């Protein structure tokens, strides 16, 4: 009986070790791949897409997980020349995700995890896309046709990433103009603001002048109306209405009776 219990315990222990060491669960938001390390299938055909709970031989096989949710990478700044030689600075940020079912394709080509692919491998490709697009534009045309330029970069990036097994979610170029161009733009904006301020001040002056003219015209019109209504009879009537019945005296009044002592 004791031997049977020991054998059962050993069996359970071995089963547990097999379960722990020889299975892997692919979590939601990830795609799994099983990679054969040895044998006749090693090479191009040594990677297969797997999901859920996966059984594998840890000696001859490995399991890798690739996230399928959106990944964002902020790259270091780099400089690019325009068609006329001006130097622009690009500070790109890219958000992308693995296209469904593309994990084996990505792993076969790069043999790296997604984080390393984003942070290292894709950098040179992104720089090449910007160099190609910048070379089509002069400095002035980049400024005046910025939207078209950005659209060209987006289309090239989408085509490249789709070929590599990725889907582009968002791309921010973070373009910084050359210092001379920045100063020229600032000077132009300052001149526009100054001209706008002068125009606003002129409108205020014109409005005040019109207001004074209207007031003067109204006052002149009122005087004309007062003068036209002051007839002799009206003046006489206003005099009578204001008279208190006393005769106005000028100088000393005459003495009629002498004072009796």
């Amino acid at each position: 009986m004791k031997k049977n219990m020991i054998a059962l315990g050993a069996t359970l222990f071995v089963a547990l070790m097999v379960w722990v060491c020889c299975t892997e669960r692919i979590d939601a938001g990830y795609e799994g791949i099983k990679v054969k390390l040895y044998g006749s299938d090693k090479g191009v055909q040594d990677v297969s897409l797997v999901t859920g709970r996966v059984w594998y031989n840890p000696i001859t096989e490995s399991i890798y997980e690739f996230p399928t949710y959106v990944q964002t990478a902020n790259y270091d700044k780099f400089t690019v020349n325009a068609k006329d030689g001006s130097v622009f600075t690009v500070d790109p940020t890219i958000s992308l995700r693995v296209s469904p079912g593309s994990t084996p394709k990505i792993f076969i080509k790069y043999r790296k995890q997604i984080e390393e692919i984003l942070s290292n491998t894709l950098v040179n490709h992104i720089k090449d896309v910007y160099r190609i697009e910048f070379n089509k534009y002069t400095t002035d045309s980049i400024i005046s046709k910025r939207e078209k330029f950005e659209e060209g970069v987006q289309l090239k990036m989408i085509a490249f990433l789709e070929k590599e097994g990725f889907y582009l979610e968002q791309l921010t170029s973070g373009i910084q103009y050359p210092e001379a161009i920045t100063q020229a733009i600032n000077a132009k904006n300052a001149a526009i603001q100054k001209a706008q301020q002068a125009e606003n001040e002129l409108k205020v002056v014109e409005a005040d002048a019109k207001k004074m003219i209207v007031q003067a015209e109204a006052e002149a019109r009122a005087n004309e109306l007062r003068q036209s209504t002051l007839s002799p009879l009206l003046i006489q009537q206003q005099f009578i209405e204001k008279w208190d019945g006393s005769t106005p005296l000028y100088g000393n009044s005459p003495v009629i009776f002498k004072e009796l002592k």
Side-chain angles (χ1 to χ4, degrees):
M1 183 68 179
K2 185 177 180 180
K3 292 182 178 180
N4 291 337
M5 293 295 295
I6 294 175
L8 179 60
T11 302
L12 292 175
F13 177 77
V14 171
L16 179 61
M17 292 301 296
V18 170
W19 176 264
V20 172
C21 299
C22 299
T23 65
E24 183 75 25
R25 185 178 183 277
I26 308 302
D27 296 326
Y30 289 82
E31 281 187 349
I33 54 173
K34 181 188 291 186
V35 181
K36 293 184 178 181
L37 305 176
Y38 305 99
S40 59
D41 291 335
K42 183 179 181 299
V44 178
Q45 303 298 326
D46 65 347
V47 178
S48 59
L49 184 66
V50 291
T51 58
R53 177 66 64 178
V54 181
W55 288 87
Y56 71 102
N57 184 346
I59 298 175
T60 61
E61 296 174 324
S62 292
I63 301 297
Y64 294 90
E65 286 185 310
F66 274 57
T68 56
Y69 51 83
V70 176
Q71 303 284 309
T72 299
N74 297 310
Y75 295 107
D76 294 334
K77 298 178 181 179
F78 58 90
T79 57
V80 185
N81 290 349
K83 189 175 182 179
D84 55 2
S86 296
V87 180
F88 288 79
T89 300
V90 182
D91 186 11
T93 299
I94 188 169
S95 296
L96 50 78
R97 56 182 171 84
V98 175
S99 299
S102 297
T103 302
K105 172 184 175 181
I106 295 172
F107 185 83
I108 288 173
K109 181 171 183 177
Y110 294 105
R111 296 286 175 166
K112 298 176 181 178
Q113 292 287 357
I114 188 69
E115 294 81 5
E116 189 176 356
I117 295 173
L118 287 179
S119 60
N120 297 323
T121 308
L122 292 182
V123 174
N124 292 331
H125 296 292
I126 293 174
K127 290 182 179 180
D128 287 341
V129 168
Y130 277 101
R131 288 193 182 100
I132 293 171
E133 201 64 24
F134 264 102
N135 197 41
K136 296 180 180 179
Y137 294 85
T138 61
T139 301
D140 291 339
S141 61
I142 289 175
I143 296 173
S144 60
K145 300 177 181 179
R146 177 68 180 272
E147 184 176 351
K148 183 179 179 181
F149 169 82
E150 294 284 4
E151 182 180 358
V153 172
Q154 289 265 2
L155 291 175
K156 281 185 173 57
M157 196 67 69
I158 290 172
F160 163 72
L161 292 175
E162 183 178 353
K163 183 179 64 176
E164 299 299 307
F166 297 97
Y167 177 81
L168 179 65
E169 291 284 346
Q170 186 177 14
L171 173 65
T172 304
S173 298
I175 295 176
Q176 299 174 11
Y177 297 128
E179 185 63 26
I181 301 301
T182 301
Q183 292 177 358
I185 293 175
N186 292 337
K188 180 180 178 181
N189 292 336
I192 293 174
Q193 293 176 358
K194 188 175 181 179
Q196 185 65 45
Q197 181 180 359
E199 183 179 352
N200 293 336
E201 292 175 353
L202 179 61
K203 289 181 180 179
V204 172
V205 172
E206 291 177 347
D208 291 341
K210 289 180 180 179
K211 181 179 179 181
M212 294 177 64
I213 292 173
V214 171
Q215 291 176 344
E217 290 177 347
E219 186 66 24
R221 180 60 178 164
N223 290 335
E224 290 178 359
L225 291 175
R226 283 194 291 269
Q227 291 176 2
S228 64
T229 56
L230 290 177
S231 62
L233 291 177
L234 180 59
I235 294 174
Q236 183 177 4
Q237 180 181 354
Q238 291 177 349
F239 175 77
I240 295 172
E241 290 175 351
K242 295 181 179 181
W243 183 45
D244 59 0
S246 301
T247 301
L249 297 177
Y250 303 94
N252 297 325
S253 61
V255 177
I256 300 178
F257 299 98
K258 291 183 177 180
E259 181 178 359
L260 296 177
K261 297 182 180 180

